[in-house]
Amino acid sequence: YWGPYILYTNVNESFTKKLLEDGKKLPKENDASKTLASRIKKVRNYAIESWITEGLVPYTNKWIDGWNQFSGQNYIPKNASLNSIWINFQKAGESNPEHVHEGSDLSFVIYLKVPQQIRADADRFLSNRLHKGAPPGSILFKYGEYRDFAVDGRVLCPQENTILMWPSYLRHGVTPFDCDEIRISVAGNIKFLD
């Protein structure tokens, strides 16, 4: 237990399949690269449609339930709104510097395609205790300041058909990787309406 609550769970594969199919069809006019912190060239905005918002409801509810269990509170928002959602086609050498998402309450990432080499490289990296920092192709979360005897963050190597959801103020970033395959993820922001 540390700082903000992060949900990490599996996602319905029919939902991720539709996100991937529709995401591959998004035109260049939906380019989102200029409005995001990422250093990823191919990023496209989805139109916010009911199938997407309905697909996210179970995971938003899981985050709320998890937060209440984690914190001992009884937070129940009246409603929520999907503010933005986009798809990332990350290639070798591309990254996402540490940043936050302003104007939202929750942020999320859903992993649609994760090359096996990224997982293998992360396992090798983590098995070598001399390595510092985060493994290639990982997402990192930072909260608070680094101090001795304190956990100031977490690093996770993504897996396909999983979602991470966290408070939007939590600093996070994505490390570059080195393989020929593309890593595909969907990210977005949710606002609670009280």
Side-chain angles (χ1 to χ4, degrees):
Y1 290 85
W2 66 282
Y5 173 68
I6 301 173
L7 171 73
Y8 185 35
T9 191
N10 293 321
V11 179
N12 179 297
E13 287 188 38
S14 61
F15 183 51
T16 59
K17 183 178 179 183
K18 182 149 177 59
L19 284 169
L20 182 59
E21 288 171 356
D22 284 27
K24 286 180 175 180
K25 296 175 191 171
L26 292 170
K28 287 183 180 180
E29 293 78 36
N30 289 40
D31 180 43
S33 62
K34 305 276 188 280
T35 60
L36 300 171
S38 71
R39 306 293 189 266
I40 300 171
K41 288 181 184 172
K42 188 175 178 184
V43 183
R44 303 284 188 262
N45 282 317
Y46 288 90
I48 296 175
E49 299 181 53
S50 60
W51 70 269
I52 296 175
T53 56
E54 290 167 9
L56 289 167
V57 166
Y59 308 105
T60 306
N61 288 339
K62 271 189 176 188
W63 184 90
I64 293 166
D65 292 344
W67 165 248
N68 286 332
Q69 184 177 9
F70 180 86
S71 67
Q73 295 183 15
N74 190 28
Y75 176 68
I76 302 172
K78 292 180 183 164
N79 207 341
S81 173
L82 179 62
N83 286 1
S84 55
I85 184 165
W86 62 92
I87 188 167
N88 305 290
F89 296 90
Q90 184 180 359
K91 294 182 178 178
E94 295 181 329
S95 65
N96 203 341
E98 195 174 299
H99 64 285
V100 299
H101 294 192
E102 300 286 339
S104 298
D105 294 305
L106 290 180
S107 295
F108 63 87
V109 62
I110 301 170
Y111 295 101
L112 306 181
K113 289 285 183 187
V114 179
Q116 288 293 332
Q117 186 177 333
I118 290 175
R119 301 260 339 141
D121 289 348
D123 289 344
R124 275 193 298 280
F125 182 98
L126 293 170
S127 69
N128 184 342
R129 293 194 176 270
L130 297 177
H131 283 148
K132 301 291 183 198
S138 294
I139 185 168
L140 54 100
F141 295 96
K142 291 288 186 175
Y143 182 73
E145 299 176 14
Y146 173 77
R147 306 295 288 179
D148 288 338
F149 312 112
V151 176
D152 69 330
R154 289 285 184 250
V155 174
L156 296 165
C157 185
Q159 295 186 48
E160 287 184 12
N161 298 311
T162 60
I163 186 171
L164 287 158
M165 189 174 280
W166 63 89
S168 297
Y169 62 79
L170 180 57
R171 294 187 320 271
H172 60 284
V174 178
T175 58
F177 58 85
D178 183 25
C179 78
D180 294 334
E181 295 179 73
I182 296 173
R183 187 177 83 168
I184 305 173
S185 62
V186 169
N189 296 301
I190 295 167
K191 181 79 177 163
F192 289 134
L193 308 174
D194 285 333

